[in-house]
Amino acid sequence: MEQDLFERYLNEKNYKYVKIALTDSSYNTARSKGVKKNNPNYEELHKPLPTNRDLATIGDALMKLIYARHFYEDEKIDKLSKKIEQYITDEYLVSVVAKHYDILKYLQFDKDNKSMKADYKYESKTKTEGKNKKNNPRKYIATAIEAMIGAIYKEENDDIKKISDLLTKCWINFN
């Protein structure tokens, strides 16, 4: 079976933006945990790596734009935002897209952090009361998917057509 654009980038380790997209902010803490000052690699391990949040912002915006353009002309669609939402929710990105690509085997994150679940079972109900508000324990997976879209866009010299083809010809069929 031929690899799609997302798989191709996921399997190629030498792309600058892809490395960033696959690095969660929790990884910076994890990689320096327990490293003493007398360790010759202390400085290097405590130097923060770039993380995927900014690329995720780009990827999220691209996904919204591309799906909006794709569905806008469809007369059968009653509410455009509702149609788009089914393809960009964290639940869809984690339980469908991330699972399809098994992104957890590529993602760098704090694997010792018990609050971060390392599976694709999205929990739609999380505590959201007052100061006890918690993010979904798989949000970092959805963020990585969005960041990969941003990374591929940057690696492809801002070519939105290739991202559009991936989302509208491939990912749309996952649902």
Side-chain angles (χ1 to χ4, degrees):
M1 186 161 97
E2 186 179 326
Q3 288 186 331
D4 65 34
L5 186 65
F6 194 91
E7 286 172 306
R8 195 177 87 231
Y9 275 100
L10 200 54
N11 288 310
E12 179 54 56
K13 308 287 187 252
N14 296 322
Y15 291 106
K16 171 187 173 185
Y17 294 109
V18 171
K19 286 179 185 178
I20 295 169
L22 293 172
T23 304
D24 183 71
S25 59
S26 67
Y27 184 70
N28 279 322
T29 305
R31 66 192 268 272
S32 62
K33 201 181 295 180
V35 177
K36 306 262 189 268
K37 282 194 175 197
N38 61 354
N39 184 316
N41 297 323
Y42 179 85
E43 291 295 324
E44 184 63 27
L45 291 171
H46 279 78
K47 181 177 148 188
L49 296 172
T51 62
N52 61 11
R53 293 189 187 212
D54 290 341
L55 285 171
T57 301
I58 294 169
D60 179 61
L62 285 167
M63 290 181 355
K64 287 175 182 170
L65 172 65
I66 289 165
Y67 284 126
R69 283 188 347 188
H70 180 74
F71 293 119
Y72 182 73
E73 300 296 328
D74 191 342
E75 294 92 33
K76 295 179 214 133
I77 294 176
D78 186 28
K79 297 204 187 237
L80 183 60
S81 60
K82 282 282 189 204
K83 185 65 176 180
I84 294 166
E85 187 178 313
Q86 73 185 34
Y87 295 101
I88 63 169
T89 63
D90 288 350
E91 182 173 7
Y92 181 76
L93 295 177
V94 171
S95 62
V96 177
V97 178
K99 184 177 181 179
H100 174 83
Y101 294 108
D102 196 12
I103 200 164
L104 283 170
K105 70 181 182 185
Y106 304 96
L107 190 55
Q108 294 186 81
F109 64 100
D110 183 355
K111 293 173 175 62
D112 294 332
N113 184 339
K114 301 294 183 225
S115 68
M116 298 174 78
K117 305 296 182 190
D119 60 48
Y120 305 108
K121 297 175 190 153
Y122 191 84
E123 297 171 26
S124 56
K125 303 281 186 205
T126 57
K127 293 181 183 177
T128 57
E129 296 175 16
K131 290 185 178 182
N132 292 331
K133 184 178 180 183
K134 292 184 180 178
N135 284 331
N136 190 289
R138 291 165 188 84
K139 171 72 177 157
Y140 74 100
I141 301 170
T143 300
I145 295 293
E146 293 167 343
M148 278 295 294
I149 292 297
I152 294 168
Y153 176 72
K154 297 303 293 173
E155 298 290 359
E156 291 288 333
N157 299 311
D158 301 343
D159 187 347
I160 198 168
K161 172 86 172 89
K162 289 184 179 182
I163 301 298
S164 182
D165 287 348
L166 173 68
L167 298 179
T168 62
K169 293 179 181 171
C170 181
W171 288 18
I172 215 162
N173 294 319
F174 290 169
N175 205 5

